[in-house]
Amino acid sequence: MKSFPRTLFSAFVVTALGGSAAFAQTAVPAAAPAWVNTATQAISLPQLVSALDLGPALTSQPLTVRVALAVKNQAALVSFVKSSSDPKSPTFGKYLTPAQFAATYAPTSTQVASVVAYLKSEGFTNVVVEPNNLLISADGTAAIAEKAFNTKLEQFSQASVKEIGNLTPAQVPASLSGIVSAVLGLNTIGKMKSTLNKKATVNIPMYAVSYTPNQFRYFYGGASVASAAGVSIAIMAEGDVTGVVTDLRTEEAAFKLPKVPVTVVPVGVASSDVSGADEWDMDTQYSSGMAYNLKELYIYATTSLSDSDLALEFSRWATDDKAKAASASLGECELFPYIDGSMLVDDMIFLEAASQGQTFFASAGDTGSFCPVSAVGVNGVPAGAPLVNYPAASPYVVGVGGTTLLISSANAYEKEITWYAGSGGLSQFETSPAWQSPSLIALTETGDRGVPDIAYDADPETGALVYVDGVAEGVGGTSLSSPLALGTWALAVTGNPKLGFASPALYSLYTPGTVGGIAGTYPEGGFHDIILGVNGLYTALPGYDLTTGLGTPYISQLVTALK
């Protein structure tokens, strides 16, 4: 993650997100020498959309904090990921176990003990350390948190919902400097949202259809590829997913698909929420359907979609190390996870997973080249803040964008164009990783992370037939493209078990060249190069671009090329 001065971008972002044009940041007194800042920065009213200040948080308000600890030898770990995941590297396929990661890169037991002791001394209870030593959860109250992290918690009302947030940076005693990286849970504002899209978008009635998993596998050239019967994958979900499993069985029977084994993994406090069930329906049905068969489908179900609860869920998937890959059809404007510190926390969790040979896919979003905020119109188009979605922006995640898939009268793949609402662009807070940088040379000289990495069908007009509460309905969005990519990667891993973190391998299939006088990197094989369409600020181009990334997979060619 880049060291990015927040004030450099604040005035523009505040105006674009619907806040005050003048950035009235809360004045923060100079910190006493005994305290040091963490990556969890102050939240102020202008950073929020249509928010009202309701005064100090109730001192008795219960909350759960998650204290994040810094990894050791991060540069060496990134280098290890690059070499172990690149098929052209002599160390390809040599990944870490969770125990090896803990021994070499995780915080030490002494460091963990010092943080645990501090939390308990401040009055926190139920202190739990995650196996990777990267997160420590603890229960307390607003008063306890304010004192322990030398901060001030405020109440807000946003869209008629009461929230809390820290008006000053979260700090820790100087003795914990270099150990604690961020403190999550001090706000309830940072939440990710589903990228599922059921509304009509581009009006092309001749193509207005909803495809099945079998059709997607056929259209994208995967019909002849062996099923992923020996591979386990995971879906990141929230709440009660009992009905999701029932819908999966309905879909399998309707489309004559194998009945895949399912394991639900509860994370955190159990929740009865079912508001996101249609999202988890699409994720489970189209990841397993694209893979055709699986060894196991894990559904991780956390308490809420808050940055804090999701960090715990992502961490649990990495430390379990049972699923080769996972998908999250979720995201939020990258500005907020940067401010609250969850970007730094999640990046380290995804980096651990990558070192273990795991891949995390995330939807790039449905808001074109802008931030997903309601204040700027439908799907963030035509204007907004030119930021990208997180976690798709993480260098250690495969961001999946969207296309409109057009099928010929002979019921075969014809072409794809960029879906106008498919998100893409340059991150203002993340740096392009070494495996991506060569593909961005023709597009930028800033070193920013480009999103997406790859793409799949996302336009609801050419979307998926998903069973929700037992009834089939047409659904789209990059909520569809991410699980399709997950299922495809399961097929690829079946053909080459040494494959680990996908990004270095996928970018290795592109080489420098010139097409039509445009210098860039172009596919050797395995991709449909999407060269038509726009998503707002960016246009589809030959080679890598900021609308569909490397392109959409041609599965049989991709599996062969990766060998």
Side-chain angles (χ1 to χ4, degrees):
M1 187 172 70
K2 291 185 291 187
S3 177
F4 195 94
R6 181 174 50 156
T7 53
L8 183 64
F9 219 65
S10 294
F12 174 77
V13 170
V14 168
T15 302
L17 299 190
S20 170
F23 188 79
Q25 183 170 331
T26 303
V28 180
W35 296 94
V36 294
N37 285 344
T38 68
T40 300
Q41 302 175 45
I43 295 169
S44 61
L45 202 61
Q47 294 165 344
L48 310 177
V49 178
S50 303
L52 298 175
D53 191 337
L54 302 179
L58 298 177
T59 57
S60 60
Q61 179 168 340
L63 50 78
T64 297
V65 297
R66 293 201 166 89
V67 180
L69 279 63
V71 298
K72 298 183 300 184
N73 308 318
Q74 181 179 342
L77 185 57
V78 172
S79 178
F80 173 84
V81 166
K82 181 179 183 297
S83 61
S84 64
S85 301
D86 185 350
K88 298 178 181 179
S89 166
T91 57
F92 172 57
K94 297 180 180 179
Y95 306 113
L96 300 177
T97 64
Q100 290 171 327
F101 170 82
T104 307
Y105 299 104
T108 67
S109 56
T110 300
Q111 291 173 323
V112 171
S114 66
V115 177
V116 169
Y118 177 70
L119 292 173
K120 290 182 176 179
S121 71
E122 291 296 309
F124 285 101
T125 59
N126 300 324
V127 180
V128 178
V129 181
E130 289 303 296
N132 56 8
N133 285 356
L134 294 182
L135 281 178
I136 301 176
S137 300
D139 294 335
T141 63
I144 291 174
E146 285 184 322
K147 179 175 177 294
F149 303 112
N150 195 34
T151 190
K152 175 179 172 57
L153 300 182
E154 193 84 350
Q155 293 185 92
F156 299 97
S157 174
Q158 188 174 30
S160 301
V161 177
K162 284 189 176 181
E163 310 279 11
I164 64 167
N166 53 297
L167 288 184
T168 59
Q171 298 182 316
V172 292
S175 60
L176 299 180
S177 177
I179 300 175
V180 173
S181 60
V183 182
L184 306 184
L186 297 180
N187 79 79
T188 59
I189 303 164
K191 298 183 182 72
M192 294 190 189
K193 296 181 180 179
S194 161
T195 54
L196 182 140
N197 194 314
K198 296 183 181 181
K199 296 181 179 180
T201 54
V202 181
N203 184 21
I204 44 174
M206 71 183 70
Y207 294 109
V209 295
S210 295
Y211 301 121
T212 69
N214 293 321
Q215 288 176 307
F216 278 123
R217 194 169 57 257
Y218 171 72
F219 294 148
Y220 281 107
S224 63
V225 176
S227 75
V231 179
S232 295
I233 62 175
I235 293 298
M236 300 293 109
E238 171 268 344
D240 183 355
V241 297
T242 304
V244 173
V245 179
T246 301
D247 283 336
L248 174 62
R249 300 308 180 209
T250 302
E251 180 250 7
E252 290 168 336
F255 299 141
K256 296 180 172 55
L257 294 167
K259 184 178 179 180
V260 300
V262 174
T263 297
V264 176
V265 183
V267 180
V269 177
S271 168
S272 60
D273 182 32
V274 294
S275 62
D278 49 358
E279 174 62 71
W280 326 135
D281 280 334
M282 179 148 68
D283 291 350
T284 54
Q285 292 170 30
Y286 279 79
S287 59
S288 64
M290 195 65 156
Y292 192 72
N293 201 357
L294 291 167
K295 178 181 179 181
E296 194 78 27
L297 174 63
Y298 292 93
I299 306 176
Y300 283 78
T302 191
T303 309
S304 76
L305 297 182
S306 71
D307 290 349
S308 179
D309 286 339
L310 285 171
L312 182 65
E313 182 175 60
F314 301 157
S315 179
R316 196 66 54 84
W317 164 71
T319 57
D320 284 351
D321 195 25
K322 294 178 179 178
K324 186 73 173 178
S327 172
S329 295
L330 304 166
E332 62 184 317
C333 185
E334 63 175 344
L335 174 66
F336 205 90
Y338 172 75
I339 290 173
D340 77 1
S342 60
M343 177 180 285
L344 176 65
V345 176
D346 292 346
D347 277 356
M348 294 305 97
I349 293 169
F350 296 139
L351 179 58
E352 175 197 353
S355 74
Q356 296 168 179
Q358 297 172 281
T359 300
F360 196 95
F361 294 90
S363 301
D366 299 354
T367 53
S369 55
F370 306 107
C371 248
V373 291
S374 59
V376 295
V378 178
N379 287 331
V381 178
L387 305 176
V388 295
N389 259 17
Y390 189 86
S394 173
Y396 317 114
V397 166
V398 179
V400 190
T403 68
T404 298
L405 173 62
L406 307 181
I407 301 305
S408 71
S409 58
N411 198 37
Y413 181 98
E414 183 175 289
K415 64 182 176 182
E416 288 173 271
I417 61 175
T418 295
W419 180 41
Y420 88 101
S423 293
L426 294 170
S427 171
Q428 299 299 313
F429 305 102
E430 297 277 27
T431 302
S432 176
W435 45 86
Q436 184 192 47
S437 295
S439 296
L440 288 173
I441 291 174
L443 302 176
T444 177
E445 297 179 355
T446 62
D448 300 329
R449 159 82 162 122
V451 180
D453 295 296
I454 60 174
Y456 255 117
D457 182 39
D459 188 339
E461 295 293 328
T462 63
L465 197 62
V466 178
Y467 278 86
V468 179
D469 294 330
V471 179
E473 59 182 58
V475 185
T478 52
S479 281
L480 170 62
S481 58
S482 186
L484 288 177
L486 172 62
T488 296
W489 190 245
L491 294 173
V493 170
T494 300
N496 187 353
K498 293 180 69 175
L499 288 172
F501 175 46
S503 287
L506 296 175
Y507 280 95
S508 75
L509 301 180
Y510 264 51
T511 55
T514 300
V515 174
I518 302 175
T521 54
Y522 300 94
E524 298 175 355
F527 291 99
H528 303 107
D529 191 2
I530 313 304
I531 59 174
L532 296 173
V534 298
N535 69 350
L537 295 178
Y538 304 107
T539 302
L541 299 168
Y544 179 90
D545 59 59
L546 297 171
T547 67
T548 59
L550 299 171
T552 61
Y554 189 109
I555 298 174
S556 61
Q557 289 185 8
L558 180 66
V559 170
T560 299
L562 289 171
K563 290 182 180 180

